Structure formats: structure tokens, C-alpha cells
Amino acid sequence: MSTQDTHGNGAQSRVDLALIAEMIEPNARVLDVGCGDGDLLELLARTKNVDGRGIELSQEGVNASVTRGLSVIQGDADADLSDYPDNAFDYVILSQTIQATRNPRDVLLQMKRIGRRLVVSIPNFGHWRVRLQLLWSGEMPRTRSLDHNWYDTPNIHLCTVRDFVLLCEALDLRIDDAVSVIGNRAKRVGRPGSIDNLTAETAVLLMSRKSEDKR
Amino acid sequence: MSERPERQADRRPPQGADSDAMRFNAVSAVAHFGPEAPLALDSGVLLTPFQIAYETYGTLNADKSNVVLICHALTGDQYAASPHPVTGKAGWWLTMVGPGLPIDTDRYFVICQNVLGSCMGTTGPKDIDPATGKAYGLSFPVITIADMVRAQAMLLDRLGIDDLFCVIGGSMGGMQTLQWAAAYPHRVFAAIPIATAARHSAQNIAFHEVGRQAIMADPDWQSGTYLNDAKNPAKGLAVARMAAHITYLSEAALHRKFGRNLQNREKITYGFDADFQIESYLRHQGMSFVDRFDANSYLYITRAMDYFDLAADYGGVLANAFKGTTTRFCVASFTSDWLFPTSGNRQIVHALNAAAANVSFVEIDTDKGHDAFLLDEPEMFSTLGGFIGSAAKRRGLPA
């Protein structure tokens, strides 16, 4: 679940991180799930003075993060979120990682339980280039953000932006903000629609619980 | 009235320290606690009088905010970065403690105390029981990890140090670190338990029992009264050390270092001499240990580790030991450590997460087993150095 595993290229990830950072209020308590080498946590600590924690699957990513002075543990989104108490964080972030989890629905529910707000970025499998590749070549699509063969990809639960929005609705998650990323350009869309489902390479969504009593 | 440790007369430069130790202002001291300051033990006994021998390195800053407490392991001592007075060997943590090292003596004031029950200056079973005029032996009260930590806190009170920038220790030192964080959360800014566990496992109690039985089976042990007859159960203690030493290593490291290599001979001798290098090595480890360690101290300290079960003191829920803590934690384990495996260290991390504590957790890839925390492990230095440096910044300590 390290960012190196799932991110196609560096430029893409930088845009992604900057967008997420924009969504975070200063001085918040933040958990970054799948934090890689800690780039986002360091950015948030520097620009937003957050109280940041991270979980990372790869030991190299963890050790690199801790060496940078970040509070990061080795663990994974599927198994380790259940440790945390309710409302432990203001934000729980899952950047380019949900498609690599074993049970994305449970991961979202855990995030909703421990965090007041959720920030999730996903590679969009509904992008037109992905659709065309499958249509024309008849082979599993490979893009710059999903650059693996079908048999060795860590991305076992790919979805489209629309798929993701439908799941969030089913889980009583309200979408407060969304950004569609195309190359190095980002567009604020509020709530992603079918055009975004066709054009976004990556979508970043800020969500919160629809009601406090439903968890 | 007992002598105060801060008095110059009570202090002496460490023996043989003319180069390394002088560079970071090493000071040896002993603090005496008389009848006015008894130590209340978990067993209900009030221990008095008692004393604590300790070393300090570096300089205490004006607001006393730069104190690092190093907690030593079972057979360790206060000589973390200064030569051992008996063996003359260099300090046991010179890889971690010194100018520019992760525990930077140019920045921090480092204290390392000999634990209660040990034999390097702090009161233990080899000392004279004032009630009888003879060595305590087995009449010394059984002590716990919490007792050790309580005694350490009394020394800090005596030194006028309210809180610690950092508590760090491996193995039994890690147990003390956890106990510090649980018992005195407001006094611990950062805690680094290394290669340890929140409770001693059945397997580890079993190994300790083998060691204790080896000591007690030695006729010279004399039910613990050997010091009165100027004897030493050296054979039993050596066997205890040999058995324990195996648990500090790993199969891979043993194979790498020794394999089935023969010791100064071409072929096996069809006898019980030390044919193999590993046998010779273990015998050496055993025999050199008895010169510096007291057999009864070994019994008492292993018992303290056996009794350690932090969750038991908090309703059986480890997370409750850290409820509301503001301490920053960094837990570290080693891949080949089967004595205090990563799984046990991870349980500490789970509990800290459940308490919403600020925690880092690194597992260092090495084949050197449990002893790795004492050895040259660059990844341990870089990760712990990063954690300590970041904590120092948060605490506002100058770089």
C-alpha cells in the first residue's frame, strides 16, 4: 500500500497531495492511512501544523517516515483501523490506497467511525482512456496511475468515480467537496457527475457523516 | 542523615575514563536514601535504607528540560557510555550514546541508573542487611519492575528533575520505559521501548526458571548465603548465562558466526571437550559473566521480569495503562528477535492506538536477534535518531 506501489508517476502524486492538503483545516488531528514515505504528513505538518499520524504497509516507508520525525506505524488499512477509538481524528486520509484494500467498504466504515471527516483519493477506472483501452484492445487497461499487469497489481478493488459515490451514499457519507484531477490540472467539482466520471484521472473527495447518530 | 548525591565528595570520575567518557562529561554518583525516605515495594515491604548508583553524561540545561533516562536490561548496568569498573570494557551503548549520536550528549543530559536488586552499586541481595549485619541473600525482598521505576523516580526527585524529555530502554529496559509512561505520564515527554513486551511470556518465564534452577543447583549457592562463606555459585550462574545467551541470538546469526565450525582442531574428538566453536563461545560467555554479576541478583531481576504484566495493573486492558497520555512513543522491534518478538511489541502499539496516543513503530530488519538493540544497526540509529530529534524540536530544545 506504499505510494510507490500504486502511484503511476511523481507529478500526479504531488498534485494529489497538494489538493488533499487544501482540504485540511489547520491544527487538526490527522491520520494518513497508507502514508508511503510520509510526504503528505510532512506537507501537512509544515503548512497546516497538524497533529499527524500515519499507517503504512511497507517497512521501508515506515522507517523513512520515522527517520523524518513523523509518527508512523507499520500496519494496514484492513486490519489496523479497528484499534482506534471513535472520533480519534478530525480527518482520516486514504490517498490512492482504497483500491488496494481487501475490503474497501469496511475500511470506509472504520474511517467514518474514527474520523469526523474523510479524505479519499481514487484512481478513476471510468476514465475515457481506460474505457477505450478495454473496448479497442480487449485487454486490461494500463494507465499512468494504474501501471500494473492484471496478474501482479496490488489494485484489487478498482472502481469508477460513480461507483465510489454510490458506495458513499449507501454508507451515509455526505460528499462535502470533490476535485477532479486531469494530468497536472485540478478542477473543483463540488459533487462529481458523469462528465467527471469520464474525464477525471483521479478524484479527491472530502466527506463527512450524514448524521452523527448513524455510524 | 545520608549524603546527598550532588555533593562533590560523592562524585568521582569513572575509572579508566580519560578519552571517550571525558568528552561527554561522564560522572559517577551514588544517592543514599535513609530512614526518612523508604522505598515502598509492591510486596508491601518498606526497603530502607537503600542507595542508587548512577552515571550521567552531558550537561543539564537551565530549565532541566533535556533529561534522557536510559533504562538498562537484565544484566546491564549504569555504565552505558563509560568503561565498566570490573571488566574495563567500553560502555554497553556507545553506539547510541555520545556526541552527535541519537542520544546526543552535546544536547541532552543523560542519566543511567543501576536498577534496584542489581549488583553494581544500587542496593541488592549482595548488600549488607542492617538488621543482621550479613548480606541479604534471599532475605532481600522480591522486587518488581514498578519498584525499580519507583526508585528511579525518587532519585529524579532528589536531583530536582520534574520531568524527562525521553525514557529509553531495550528488553527489561523497555519494560521500565513502559512502566514509566504508565505510572508517571506527566513526567515523560517521549518514550522509546525497544525489543520488549507489556508482559513477560510463558516461554520467557520458562527460560528464566531454567537459569534460576541452574544457580540453585550449584552446591556453592548454599540457599543464597554463599557470600557469608566467601563462595560464589559460578558454575550455576555460568550455565544460566549460557542458556540465556542463546535466547539473545538467532539461529541465522549463530549459523553465520559459527556454523558447525570446530574450535582449534581438525576433527571431532569423540569426547565432551568444546569441539565446536559455538560451545567454546558459550563457555566463554558464561565464565566471563560470573566475574561481574551476582547470582542472587540474577534470581531477583529475572523474577521482576517474570512478574511484569502491565495490563494486569489496569483492569486487564493494556490501553487503560496509557489512557489520556500525551507522551510521544516510538516502539522498535527486530525481525529475528524471538525472545521479544515483533508480535509482542505490536501489542503495545495496538494498545497505544486504542488510547489514541502519538506512536511510531519501526521494525528493523536484522538477523542479530534480541541483542540487536545493543549492536551496530544503522536503521535503528536513523529511525530512533529521527524520532528523538523531532521530539526535541517539539519540546523546544535547541538543535
Side-chain angles (χ1 to χ4, degrees):
Chain A
M1 229 167 294
S2 88
T3 47
Q4 288 94 331
D5 283 344
T6 47
H7 280 177
N9 70 34
Q12 176 88 30
S13 68
R14 286 291 100 77
V15 174
D16 204 40
L17 300 188
L19 283 171
I20 291 172
E22 269 178 38
M23 292 178 169
I24 308 292
E25 301 281 339
N27 308 313
R29 284 167 64 92
V30 174
L31 177 67
D32 185 3
V33 185
C35 65
D37 289 349
D39 288 340
L40 175 61
L41 281 172
E42 189 165 84
L43 181 69
L44 289 171
R46 202 174 61 237
T47 61
K48 300 283 178 121
N49 191 40
V50 302
D51 176 8
R53 319 280 168 80
I55 299 181
E56 168 58 29
L57 187 61
S58 83
Q59 200 55 60
E60 303 80 58
V62 174
N63 293 10
S65 298
V66 175
T67 298
R68 293 165 87 170
L70 302 166
S71 299
V72 172
I73 65 166
Q74 199 274 334
D76 79 76
D78 284 298
D80 294 313
L81 295 182
S82 57
D83 285 341
Y84 296 94
D86 295 356
N87 304 313
F89 299 97
D90 298 313
Y91 295 88
V92 180
I93 300 168
L94 194 66
S95 171
Q96 301 280 348
T97 298
I98 195 156
Q99 77 283 353
T101 62
R102 188 163 293 278
N103 199 330
R105 186 177 177 277
D106 287 353
V107 169
L108 277 175
L109 282 173
Q110 286 290 352
M111 290 173 69
K112 183 185 167 195
R113 180 183 66 80
I114 64 179
R116 288 170 219 285
R117 305 186 103 180
L118 284 57
V119 180
V120 180
S121 76
I122 56 166
N124 177 24
F125 209 66
H127 186 260
W128 62 269
R129 207 178 272 121
V130 174
R131 300 191 198 191
L132 281 184
Q133 269 193 45
L134 184 58
L135 184 64
W136 294 133
S137 73
E139 295 169 7
M140 279 300 281
R142 289 179 65 169
T143 67
R144 56 182 166 183
S145 59
L146 296 168
D147 190 22
H148 286 92
N149 289 306
W150 67 271
Y151 49 81
D152 62 8
T153 180
N155 304 317
I156 54 175
H157 281 120
L158 290 162
C159 69
T160 69
V161 174
R162 185 171 153 72
D163 286 327
F164 188 76
V165 168
L166 288 172
L167 177 60
C168 291
E169 275 169 10
L171 300 182
D172 269 341
L173 282 165
R174 186 178 60 222
I175 294 168
D176 298 322
D177 199 359
V179 174
S180 154
V181 186
I182 305 165
N184 287 327
R185 287 174 299 116
K187 188 179 62 156
R188 205 165 192 142
V189 296
R191 190 187 159 82
S194 20
I195 298 296
D196 304 306
N197 196 26
L198 204 56
T199 58
E201 289 173 357
T202 297
V204 185
L205 296 95
L206 174 67
M207 293 165 289
S208 56
R209 299 170 194 150
K210 265 188 185 157
S211 58
E212 274 301 310
D213 50 353
K214 278 193 195 169
R215 273 184 223 142
Chain B
M1 187 63 199
S2 58
E3 269 186 310
R4 295 275 165 168
E6 54 269 33
R7 274 177 49 176
Q8 209 54 42
D10 219 359
R11 302 186 146 209
R12 59 177 173 77
Q15 293 169 23
D18 46 346
S19 54
D20 267 2
M22 294 308 276
R23 265 169 57 225
F24 40 85
N25 189 27
V27 173
S28 288
V30 179
H32 303 271
F33 296 84
E36 79 288 352
L39 176 62
L41 302 174
D42 281 345
S43 63
V45 173
L46 285 181
L47 181 65
T48 184
F50 73 100
Q51 65 178 39
I52 296 175
Y54 62 101
E55 297 274 305
T56 68
Y57 312 108
T59 308
L60 186 61
N61 65 6
D63 58 358
K64 301 184 177 179
S65 63
N66 68 335
V67 181
V68 175
L69 178 70
I70 296 175
C71 301
H72 70 70
L74 164 59
T75 65
D77 46 53
Q78 67 271 41
Y79 302 102
S82 32
H84 194 282
V86 177
T87 65
K89 281 188 182 162
W92 55 267
W93 227 9
L94 275 178
T95 51
M96 278 286 285
V97 186
L101 295 179
I103 301 173
D104 189 342
T105 48
D106 287 341
R107 299 180 69 190
Y108 313 125
F109 181 63
V110 180
I111 302 177
C112 187
Q113 312 183 25
N114 190 213
V115 297
L116 189 69
S118 190
C119 50
M120 291 307 296
T122 295
T123 301
K126 87 171 171 36
D127 294 308
I128 300 298
D129 179 354
T132 63
K134 291 180 175 173
Y136 274 107
L138 290 200
S139 67
F140 192 74
V142 169
I143 47 149
T144 64
I145 299 292
D147 293 332
M148 294 175 183
V149 167
R150 209 172 288 124
Q152 290 165 5
M154 287 174 74
L155 174 63
L156 295 185
D157 292 342
R158 176 71 67 81
L159 299 176
I161 293 166
D162 290 334
D163 62 342
L164 297 162
F165 160 56
C166 182
V167 183
I168 182 170
S171 197
M172 187 182 83
M175 292 177 170
Q176 293 164 68
T177 302
L178 293 173
Q179 180 67 35
W180 259 104
Y184 305 98
H186 55 285
R187 295 185 80 165
V188 182
F189 185 81
I192 309 179
I194 305 168
T196 190
R199 66 173 176 205
H200 215 218
S201 69
Q203 176 173 273
N204 288 3
I205 294 170
F207 281 123
H208 277 173
E209 176 60 2
V210 169
R212 286 190 293 263
Q213 288 301 327
I215 290 168
M216 293 175 177
D218 188 323
D220 285 344
W221 180 62
Q222 301 182 165
S223 302
T225 62
Y226 53 90
L227 285 175
N228 297 331
D229 299 323
K231 288 192 172 167
N232 183 13
K235 286 198 172 115
L237 182 58
V239 171
R241 177 63 169 180
M242 288 167 75
H245 197 79
I246 301 166
T247 68
Y248 304 152
L249 307 174
S250 72
E251 208 279 332
L254 283 175
H255 179 75
R256 173 168 53 77
K257 277 173 82 173
F258 305 106
R260 291 180 52 83
N261 298 340
L262 299 179
Q263 179 70 25
N264 301 330
R265 63 200 67 191
E266 295 298 314
K267 49 190 185 229
I268 54 173
T269 62
Y270 295 96
F272 295 101
D273 211 10
D275 276 357
F276 295 99
Q277 282 180 7
I278 179 62
E279 294 174 292
S280 171
Y281 170 80
L282 276 183
R283 288 181 187 190
H284 171 76
Q285 288 295 329
M287 289 323 292
S288 56
F289 181 61
V290 301
D291 295 333
R292 69 172 179 90
F293 215 83
D294 175 59
N296 283 337
S297 278
Y298 196 85
L299 302 183
Y300 276 88
I301 301 176
T302 54
R303 204 62 178 147
M305 291 176 76
D306 292 353
Y307 281 171
F308 188 62
D309 182 358
L310 190 53
D313 298 337
Y314 294 87
V317 180
L318 186 57
N320 289 347
F322 306 112
K323 213 170 182 176
T325 184
T326 56
T327 302
R328 305 170 71 81
F329 290 85
C330 184
V331 179
S333 71
F334 300 94
T335 50
S336 54
D337 183 348
W338 56 277
L339 193 64
F340 289 91
T342 289
S343 57
N345 290 275
R346 197 184 289 278
Q347 278 172 12
I348 299 165
V349 175
H350 286 312
L352 289 167
N353 280 341
N358 190 317
V359 54
S360 294
F361 170 48
V362 294
E363 185 187 29
I364 311 295
D365 194 1
T366 175
D367 78 347
K368 291 175 189 155
H370 182 58
D371 261 356
F373 79 94
L374 299 166
L375 301 172
D376 181 29
E377 291 289 347
E379 196 152 17
M380 173 175 73
F381 305 146
S382 63
T383 51
L384 297 190
F387 173 81
I388 296 169
S390 157
K393 204 170 153 191
R394 293 254 170 188
R395 184 143 166 112
L397 296 175

